[in-house]
Amino acid sequence: MLKRKVSDRFEVELPWYAVPRLLGVASEIPLTGRGKRDTEATASLLKNLVCSVKGGPDSTAEDLGSAVTEIWRRYVGDPEDLRSFTESGADSLTAVSVRGDLLEKLDVDVPLPVIIGGNVRDLIDASHRVRAGVHAGHLSSGQGLVRLRGASQGDQSAKNVQWVFLPPMSGAVTRYLRLSRLLPDSHQVSACETARADLEGGFATVVSAMSDAIAAEIPFDADLRLSGFSLGGVYARAVAVELASRGFTRCSAYLIDPPDPSGHVTSERTAFLVFAQVGLAIPGDGARFLRGPAATGKVSEVRGEDIDWHELLTAAVATGMATFNEGTQTLRDAWEVYRLNASILSSCDADNLVGQLPPTRILVGATGEDIGYDGAVAERGEKTQAKIEPVAPSGAWSKICPAATFDRLGVDHFALLDPPHDVAVAQWLTGNVEPSTPGTA
C-alpha cells in the first residue's frame, strides 16, 4: 500500500520519464564510519532491492511474458488464439482485474485502454515497455542510451555482443522493444534516443552526442553492432563511422530500409500525421487535429498554434499512449523531436558516410529509398511472412557503402518491424538467412 501511494505521488509530481518503475523499501541507508553514505554498500543494497522487486536475479523477459500470459489465461481466455480482448468477450471489469493482477504480481501498471485495445501479445509488449521505463507511444524522452535487454547467463562466447539501435523519426526506442526480444538471449541490446537540444544542432551534433553516449557505456573491444530503422539506419552508419574512428575495432552497421541521406526530407505535415497516427496510435485521419491551412494541406509547415493540443491529448489518452497527468507539454516536446528529425538529413553531409568500413549490411523494403509515408497511416494487411532475398546494390547507398551487402524484404516500409516480418528482420540481423553476395541479384 505504501509503495502504491508513493508511486501515485510520483506520477502527479514528476514527468512520465522520471517516474521510477521499481520501488523497494530499505530500513536504512548504509553509512561509512564518518557518517557519510557508503557508495559501495548502497549499490549492493539497490541491486538486492531490484532483484527482490523483479522476482530474483534470474528474472528474464521470458519470465515476464509467461506471467502475463497466465494472467490473460486466467481472466480473458486462451492466449494461443491471439484474439483481442474484446473479441474474447471480456468486459471493462475484466480489464480492471487484469490490471490489478499485473500491478500486484508483476509491479507493472498497464493503462486500461491498452489492455482493452489489444491481444495477449500486445499486453506482453506493453508490460515490457513499463518494465523498461519506456513511454507507451513512440515518443522520445531524450534520455540517451537505454538498456532494452541484458544478456542471459548462457553462451559465454557471445557475451560480448552488444546491439545498439539508433532512433527513427520519433527519436524513441519504442519501435525496437519487440525486435530486441527476438535477438539471441546471449546478446545485450540497447538503443539511443535523441534529445531536442541535440537535434537543434543538426545531424553532426546528434551523431556526436549518440557516439559519446555509446562510448561511455560500451567497451572499445566489444562486438558492437549498430542498427536502425529508416532514419535510424542513416544514424547507424554515421555513428559506426564515428566510433570506428575513435578506436572501436569490431564495429559494424545493419541498416533497415534507410532513406537516401543526401536527398530525403519529410514535410512537417506528413511528420505530424505519422506522429499522431503511428506515434500515438490514434485511429483515423490525424489531420483533424490541425487547424488552418495545415489541416487542408495548403501548407506543409506545422506550427504549434496549428495543433489542437487538448483534442490530441484526449485522443492519445483514449489509446493509452498518454495520461492527463502528463498534460500537453509532453506531446509538445515529443512533436518537436518528430519535426526536427523530419528535416535533419538536410544538414547531413553524405560524403562523411562514404567508405569501405565499417562493415555494413543493408536491408531494403518494397520501395527502396523512396519511402511512401502513406504506409505509415494505412491498415497494413500483410500477415504472411515474406522471404528475404539478396539484391544487387543500387541507389545512393551503393555509392556510399561500395562494399556493403544488400538484401530485400518485399513489404511496406512501415510494416518491416511489424509481426510477422520482425522475425525475418531479426534473422537477417543475426545472419540466420542465406547471406547475400555483393553485386548479385
Side-chain angles (χ1 to χ4, degrees):
M1 182 64 70
L2 173 61
K3 289 201 293 182
R4 181 68 262 166
K5 288 182 178 179
V6 172
S7 180
D8 289 343
R9 182 64 179 271
F10 279 149
E11 290 180 359
V12 172
E13 300 291 340
L14 299 175
W16 65 265
Y17 54 82
V19 176
R21 295 298 179 185
L22 294 175
L23 295 175
V25 179
S27 59
E28 60 182 2
I29 300 297
L31 302 177
T32 66
R34 295 185 177 182
K36 296 187 177 181
R37 182 167 63 85
D38 188 324
T39 54
E40 291 187 7
T42 301
S44 178
L45 172 65
L46 290 173
K47 182 177 180 180
N48 290 334
L49 282 173
V50 168
C51 288
S52 67
V53 172
K54 281 191 172 184
D58 296 324
S59 180
T60 65
E62 184 177 352
D63 293 336
L64 180 60
S66 298
V68 173
T69 299
E70 287 309 307
I71 291 173
W72 183 279
R73 189 191 308 278
R74 176 182 178 187
Y75 291 102
V76 182
D78 183 7
E80 300 299 327
D81 60 19
L82 291 181
R83 289 194 298 168
S84 71
F85 186 88
T86 53
E87 288 172 341
S88 300
D91 56 23
S92 58
L93 292 178
T94 304
V96 171
S97 298
V98 170
R99 187 185 188 194
D101 254 24
L102 289 171
L103 188 58
E104 179 182 350
K105 296 179 178 179
L106 304 177
D107 199 30
V108 167
D109 191 3
V110 178
L112 287 175
V114 174
I115 298 173
I116 295 172
N119 59 24
V120 65
R121 187 162 55 189
D122 298 320
L123 185 58
I124 291 172
D125 287 344
S127 300
H128 279 286
R129 283 198 300 266
V130 174
R131 180 64 61 84
V134 175
H135 198 280
H138 295 289
L139 310 183
S140 173
S141 67
Q143 57 184 313
L145 194 65
V146 179
R147 177 74 58 83
L148 299 184
R149 201 201 66 206
S152 70
Q153 300 301 313
D155 181 11
Q156 295 297 315
S157 64
K159 295 287 281 187
N160 213 26
V161 174
Q162 302 256 7
W163 287 96
V164 177
F165 289 90
L166 285 303
M169 184 164 61
S170 67
V173 305
T174 318
R175 184 168 285 277
Y176 302 122
L177 278 171
R178 188 195 298 268
L179 185 61
S180 73
R181 301 199 303 278
L182 297 175
L183 297 174
D185 290 341
S186 55
H187 295 185
Q188 184 166 295
V189 187
S190 304
C192 272
E193 293 199 323
T194 43
R196 175 178 171 179
D198 295 330
L199 287 168
E200 290 172 342
F203 185 83
T205 300
V206 175
V207 169
S208 178
M210 290 193 291
S211 299
D212 289 344
I214 294 169
E217 298 290 336
I218 295 178
F220 280 83
D221 61 349
D223 182 352
L224 178 57
R225 305 180 186 185
L226 297 158
S227 184
F229 165 72
S230 196
L231 174 61
V234 184
Y235 280 140
R237 172 66 184 182
V239 172
V241 170
E242 172 64 21
L243 290 178
S245 73
R246 297 189 188 188
F248 281 80
T249 57
R250 301 173 64 197
C251 182
S252 54
Y254 298 74
L255 319 186
I256 304 171
D257 210 17
D260 178 352
S262 60
H264 184 85
V265 176
T266 307
S267 75
E268 290 185 4
R269 187 177 187 276
T270 298
F272 179 80
L273 297 182
V274 176
F275 169 60
Q277 296 172 234
V278 178
L280 298 174
I282 299 172
D285 188 359
R288 70 183 187 274
F289 303 109
L290 296 175
R291 299 292 177 263
T296 60
K298 291 182 179 179
V299 298
S300 60
E301 180 185 8
V302 177
R303 301 165 300 176
E305 55 265 34
D306 295 328
I307 301 171
D308 189 331
W309 291 106
H310 293 287
E311 286 295 322
L312 184 66
L313 176 62
T314 300
V317 170
T319 62
M321 296 300 170
T323 67
F324 284 117
N325 282 340
E326 294 173 359
T328 63
Q329 190 58 51
T330 295
L331 298 185
R332 291 171 188 268
D333 293 342
W335 160 239
E336 276 301 297
V337 173
Y338 273 79
R339 187 185 69 81
L340 292 167
N341 260 328
S343 60
I344 193 71
L345 289 181
S346 63
S347 61
C348 171
D349 185 350
D351 289 341
N352 292 334
L353 309 181
V354 175
Q356 302 282 343
L357 297 173
T360 299
R361 296 182 65 193
I362 299 174
L363 180 66
V364 299
T367 57
E369 295 172 352
D370 183 19
I371 297 172
Y373 281 94
D374 288 344
V377 297
E379 286 292 330
R380 300 186 292 272
E382 302 158 337
K383 300 299 182 184
T384 303
Q385 182 172 322
K387 182 180 179 181
I388 292 179
E389 298 176 331
V391 293
S394 63
W397 284 103
S398 64
K399 300 178 179 62
I400 293 170
C401 306
T405 59
F406 284 71
D407 297 286
R408 182 177 184 272
L409 181 59
V411 298
D412 177 79
H413 174 79
F414 288 93
L416 282 168
L417 298 189
D418 289 348
H421 313 305
D422 53 354
V423 175
V425 172
Q427 292 171 342
W428 175 80
L429 288 170
T430 54
N432 290 327
V433 293
E434 184 177 347
S436 12
T437 301
T440 64

